[in-house]
Amino acid sequence: MKLTIEDVRSRFIKHFDGSTGSVYASPGRINLIGEHTDYNNGFVFPGAVEQGMIAELKVNGTRNVRAYSIDLKDYVEFSLDCEKGPNATWARYIYGVCREMMALGVPVEGFNTAFAGDVPLGAGMSSSAALESTYAYALNDMFGDNKIERLELARVGQRTEHKYIGVNCGIMDQAISCLGKAGNLMRMDCRSGEIAYFPWNPKGYQLVLVNSCVKHELKGSPYNERRLQCEHVAEVIAQNHPEVKSLRDANYDMLEEVKDQITADEYKRARYVIGEVVRVLTVCDALEKGDYETVGQMMYETHFGLSKEYEVSCEELDFLNEIAKEEGVTGSRIMGGGFGGCTINLIADELVDNFKKVVVEKFEAKYGKKPVIIDVVIGDGARKLC
Ligand code: GLA
């Protein structure tokens, strides 16, 4: 069910002193293509979704933040000035955003807050970025005269992941959560920060997510290790090619030159990334021509790479991908960081209903539980609701 302002407001009133504050929202995301390219300084192609986080905030005249997670029914209070943040992970996101906004000179004051979300957790749809962006946007509005631009707010969320959560993520999730536009996908050059919006109105096709419900969490996963492997390959290539600052600048020939100096795993990781950087640009060209068959083919290639070269898939996601192929789905792949979560599927209109039915039946027959189907609607980025 779609989360509403009232769902959050009623809890905020109940939990605190009965008064109301300001309400903000930020979305989760899909990503059409460009996975694990952001921290390699390549391109990504995400879109914001309608699901996200909603938070109500009101200054409380102290230096403390009193935070209530409606979904977890958990309450945490922390001081803005304390070097050591709270223990609960969900509260560390809020603490991290507060501290990073303060580091940018925003005079954050103590506040009461309650929040809830309707992005499925661990589905690879960036519920954590939605949380970070909601608070970064809110604090900028409440205490910072909206002086910090949206891309910088996204960086606040990214630094929160790095410094307070321990996930060395790229910028994609926070960027789309802050900068998304309804009806548009956003291509971003993660090196320069340059952004281009592409209206997403595929005639005759739909995007559908299938959530395997295998919960993924980047914290403690091999995500950071993948990043280090990529950076190491780029460093080795740079010894012969100083112009290579990250894998975004490398090509297959350069990789072959250093094959003996890197591990077999590193070789596979880099092969995937080099291919993926090119695939995003191929997809952009294809979209401009309305060539969805090519878009779909690239999605299947990405899935293959994520599964066999980058090795961030799992049995359930590979199975979902196989079903998509069997059912004539135009494109299908793992979405997000991997290790669980959703596949994203580009499906011709006339096949959508049957695919939804068949994928649920086959998955349930094999794993004894139903995957969850999510229709994608491209929504807006961070905003004030009232
Ligand atoms: C996670 C990270 C992103 C990105 C994706 C993979 O969602 O937060 O920065 O690396 O994985 O594309």
Side-chain angles (χ1 to χ4, degrees):
M1 243 201 0
K2 200 167 159 21
L3 181 70
T4 64
I5 299 178
E6 274 321 304
D7 296 328
V8 175
R9 173 148 284 175
S10 59
R11 307 305 298 173
F12 184 85
I13 290 174
K14 188 152 179 248
H15 204 82
F16 297 106
D17 60 9
S19 63
T20 58
S22 303
V23 182
Y24 300 86
S26 288
R29 59 119 186 82
I30 55 129
N31 186 23
L32 186 63
I33 198 146
E35 223 63 90
H36 292 275
T37 43
D38 56 359
Y39 53 82
N40 286 298
N41 279 323
F43 296 90
V44 291
F45 207 179
V49 290
E50 288 202 316
Q51 298 88 337
M53 291 284 171
I54 297 182
E56 180 146 9
L57 294 83
K58 187 177 188 202
V59 286
N60 61 21
T62 74
R63 295 294 300 154
N64 282 5
V65 172
R66 299 178 184 136
Y68 182 61
S69 163
I70 296 169
D71 299 327
L72 299 174
K73 300 189 177 53
D74 195 15
Y75 174 78
V76 166
E77 181 163 348
F78 62 81
S79 162
L80 288 167
D81 305 315
C82 182
E83 291 295 320
K84 187 180 165 300
N87 292 327
T89 304
W90 68 264
R92 291 188 70 76
Y93 288 109
I94 303 174
Y95 171 76
V97 169
C98 290
R99 297 285 291 188
E100 290 301 309
M101 292 296 281
M102 287 158 70
L104 289 177
V106 175
V108 178
E109 297 167 27
F111 57 90
N112 297 344
T113 183
F115 73 95
D118 59 358
V119 202
L121 299 180
M125 293 175 71
S126 298
S127 49
S128 56
L131 182 60
E132 291 149 4
S133 305
T134 302
Y135 282 95
Y137 188 88
L139 300 185
N140 192 34
D141 186 55
M142 287 171 63
F143 306 113
D145 295 329
N146 283 306
K147 283 202 191 110
I148 300 177
E149 58 171 64
R150 284 174 183 255
L151 187 54
E152 193 52 39
L153 294 178
R155 295 202 174 100
V156 163
Q158 186 191 24
R159 285 198 293 276
T160 297
E161 295 278 353
H162 291 192
K163 291 163 66 175
Y164 306 88
I165 306 295
V167 175
N168 294 328
C169 64
I171 189 68
M172 168 169 74
D173 303 351
Q174 292 79 9
I176 188 65
S177 190
C178 289
L179 286 146
K181 278 200 179 133
N184 286 268
L185 297 183
M186 182 179 97
R187 187 187 68 199
M188 178 172 179
D189 178 335
C190 296
R191 170 172 284 154
S192 65
E194 193 187 322
I195 278 165
Y197 292 97
F198 286 68
W200 176 250
N201 184 19
K203 296 261 164 356
Y205 294 86
Q206 292 174 39
L207 279 179
V208 173
L209 304 183
V210 183
N211 187 358
S212 66
C213 298
V214 176
K215 284 257 166 90
H216 97 135
E217 218 194 20
L218 293 182
K219 196 180 169 192
S221 77
Y223 182 93
N224 290 353
E225 184 196 331
R226 295 289 183 283
R227 182 174 183 156
L228 287 174
Q229 289 170 325
C230 292
E231 285 167 359
H232 182 239
V233 177
E235 274 165 31
V236 177
I237 292 177
Q239 288 164 9
N240 302 336
H241 302 277
E243 72 279 13
V244 172
K245 306 283 181 237
S246 59
L247 281 185
R248 183 247 178 95
D249 308 311
N251 59 39
Y252 290 130
D253 291 341
M254 295 173 180
L255 180 61
E256 290 307 316
E257 285 170 21
V258 300
K259 195 171 178 184
D260 296 341
Q261 293 162 258
I262 57 179
T263 66
D265 277 350
E266 286 174 333
Y267 175 79
K268 281 194 283 182
R269 311 296 185 242
R271 257 197 86 78
Y272 162 75
V273 172
I274 292 170
E276 185 71 352
V277 170
V278 177
R279 279 190 289 272
V280 182
L281 300 177
T282 307
V283 162
C284 291
D285 282 353
L287 274 185
E288 276 175 337
K289 294 183 202 129
D291 173 6
Y292 293 101
E293 291 305 316
T294 298
V295 175
Q297 192 194 327
M298 292 300 115
M299 292 169 76
Y300 278 115
E301 284 185 19
T302 296
H303 184 89
F304 176 87
L306 286 170
S307 175
K308 304 289 181 267
E309 296 175 327
Y310 220 63
E311 295 181 293
V312 294
S313 187
C314 62
E315 196 195 304
E316 290 86 342
L317 289 171
D318 286 346
F319 185 62
L320 288 176
N321 189 259
E322 281 306 315
I323 302 173
K325 256 186 230 157
E326 283 163 20
E327 295 306 314
V329 168
T330 304
S332 176
R333 65 177 197 80
I334 304 165
M335 190 183 75
F339 313 107
C342 295
T343 58
I344 179 168
N345 302 275
L346 178 67
I347 315 177
D349 284 343
E350 62 276 17
L351 298 181
V352 170
D353 289 343
N354 188 55
F355 172 69
K356 287 180 180 173
K357 189 168 135 296
V358 172
V359 79
V360 170
E361 281 168 6
K362 287 193 173 168
F363 193 89
E364 192 181 15
K366 184 153 182 182
Y367 295 108
K369 58 176 187 181
K370 284 190 166 73
V372 176
I373 306 285
I374 303 170
D375 291 316
V376 174
V377 179
I378 305 295
D380 273 317
R383 61 210 180 271
K384 183 172 183 176
L385 297 180
C386 68

